[in-house]
């Protein structure tokens, strides 16, 4: 099993550009989520999904869209990147109350 | 908005010292409390999932206790080693609400 994979590892965007952060898991977990990690802020939930076709907002959803067309994939879209979205993004999948985190994507918006 | 507080924010100990830190969370609507260990440049690694009041879990030199009635959990590290240096996060389950973490540095 590859576990939870994220691509890319690093990305630099200009303000206003769009991009999609990819997340995939091969453990057949229903629950997947996206977090952002900022200095002094811990991990904050952006969006989550309890299964294919079902998504909901977390604590800090503004500026991000998600979709869940398959159990395996949960991409996070930034439609118009802003410097405030400079962060490290972690995708996670969950089973039986145990969270499995991906390696993270470090995003810089200039 | 649920608040999950961790203290202290950071801790510097000598190798061999035992240490503990605290996670405070809302005592109502408790479902589960998670502890994670997060090394720099890696992803968080699950340590414990605690669900019952009075729960005590142990993994090697690391243990944790849970008091759901008063809304706190303690994480203990016995005989700290340099490889224990990491940020220790707790998270309150519904959707996971994370504390800001306690950054532990162990000097050899």
């Amino acid at each position: 099993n590859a576990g939870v994979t994220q691509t890319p590892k690093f990305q630099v965007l200009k303000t206003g550009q769009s991009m999609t952060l990819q997340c995939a898991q091969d453990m057949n977990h229903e629950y997947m989520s996206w977090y952002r990690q900022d200095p002094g802020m811990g991990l904050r939930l952006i969006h989550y999904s309890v299964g294919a076709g079902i998504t909901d907002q977390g604590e800090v959803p503004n500026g991000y869209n998600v979709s869940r067309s398959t159990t395996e994939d949960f991409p996070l879209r930034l439609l118009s990147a802003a410097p405030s979205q400079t962060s490290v993004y972690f995708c996670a999948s969950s089973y039986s109350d145990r969270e499995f985190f991906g390696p993270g994507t470090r995003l810089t918006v200039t | 908005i649920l608040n999950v507080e961790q203290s202290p924010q950071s801790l510097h100990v000598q190798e061999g010292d035992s240490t503990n830190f605290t996670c405070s969370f809302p005592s109502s609507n408790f479902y589960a409390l998670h502890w994670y260990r997060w090394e720099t440049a890696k992803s968080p690694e699950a340590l414990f999932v605690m669900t019952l009041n009075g729960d005590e879990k142990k993994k090697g030199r690391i243990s944790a206790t849970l008091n759901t009635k008063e809304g706190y959990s303690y994480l203990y590290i016995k005989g700290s080693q340099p490889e224990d240096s990491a940020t220790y996060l707790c998270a309150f389950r519904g959707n996971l609400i994370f504390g800001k973490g306690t950054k532990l540095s162990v000097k050899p």
Side-chain angles (χ1 to χ4, degrees):
Chain A
N1 284 353
V4 180
T5 57
Q6 288 183 239
T7 55
K9 283 200 165 77
F10 301 95
Q11 183 71 50
V12 179
L13 289 179
K14 290 194 163 106
T15 297
Q17 284 186 313
S18 62
M19 82 158 294
T20 299
L21 307 186
Q22 301 291 345
C23 173
Q25 52 95 7
D26 61 359
M27 297 174 281
N28 206 31
H29 292 168
E30 294 292 336
Y31 188 99
M32 295 185 74
S33 49
W34 276 101
Y35 297 88
R36 58 178 288 175
Q37 189 254 327
D38 302 295
M41 300 294 290
L43 284 168
R44 292 183 293 168
L45 182 66
I46 305 171
H47 284 284
Y48 66 97
S49 167
V50 298
I54 308 168
T55 63
D56 207 345
Q57 296 180 348
E59 185 187 350
V60 287
N62 291 342
Y64 307 96
N65 279 349
V66 290
S67 59
R68 184 95 180 271
S69 53
T70 66
T71 300
E72 293 77 21
D73 300 299
F74 191 41
L76 179 74
R77 277 184 288 278
L78 285 72
L79 296 176
S80 179
S84 60
Q85 293 178 304
T86 293
S87 188
V88 182
Y89 291 86
F90 286 95
C91 175
S93 72
S94 176
Y95 176 74
S96 191
D97 282 343
R98 188 177 162 188
E99 216 85 355
F100 296 82
F101 285 88
T105 294
R106 184 173 291 276
L107 175 68
T108 302
V109 183
T110 60
Chain B
I1 295 176
L2 297 173
N3 261 344
V4 178
E5 305 282 346
Q6 287 189 248
S7 62
Q9 267 191 325
S10 64
L11 199 51
H12 297 264
V13 301
Q14 291 291 134
E15 184 175 355
D17 286 350
S18 292
T19 186
N20 66 84
F21 10 101
T22 307
C23 172
S24 303
F25 52 86
S27 52
S28 57
N29 297 320
F30 178 83
Y31 179 64
L33 193 282
H34 296 242
W35 279 102
Y36 291 86
R37 180 171 179 275
W38 195 2
E39 288 181 72
T40 304
K42 293 189 178 177
S43 22
E45 173 201 346
L47 284 174
F48 305 116
V49 180
M50 309 186 78
T51 54
L52 295 174
N53 185 42
D55 246 359
E56 202 166 321
K57 301 237 170 158
K58 193 171 178 181
K59 190 174 181 177
R61 293 178 292 98
I62 305 178
S63 60
T65 60
L66 178 69
N67 184 324
T68 59
K69 291 183 180 174
E70 294 180 42
Y72 65 84
S73 176
Y74 293 138
L75 189 82
Y76 300 92
I77 302 180
K78 189 176 174 184
S80 303
Q81 300 296 310
E83 57 265 30
D84 295 329
S85 297
T87 296
Y88 291 83
L89 292 171
C90 69
F92 179 81
R93 169 68 76 176
N95 289 319
L96 281 189
I97 309 292
F98 281 86
K100 293 178 185 176
T102 292
K103 187 170 182 179
L104 175 67
S105 300
V106 182
K107 278 189 176 180

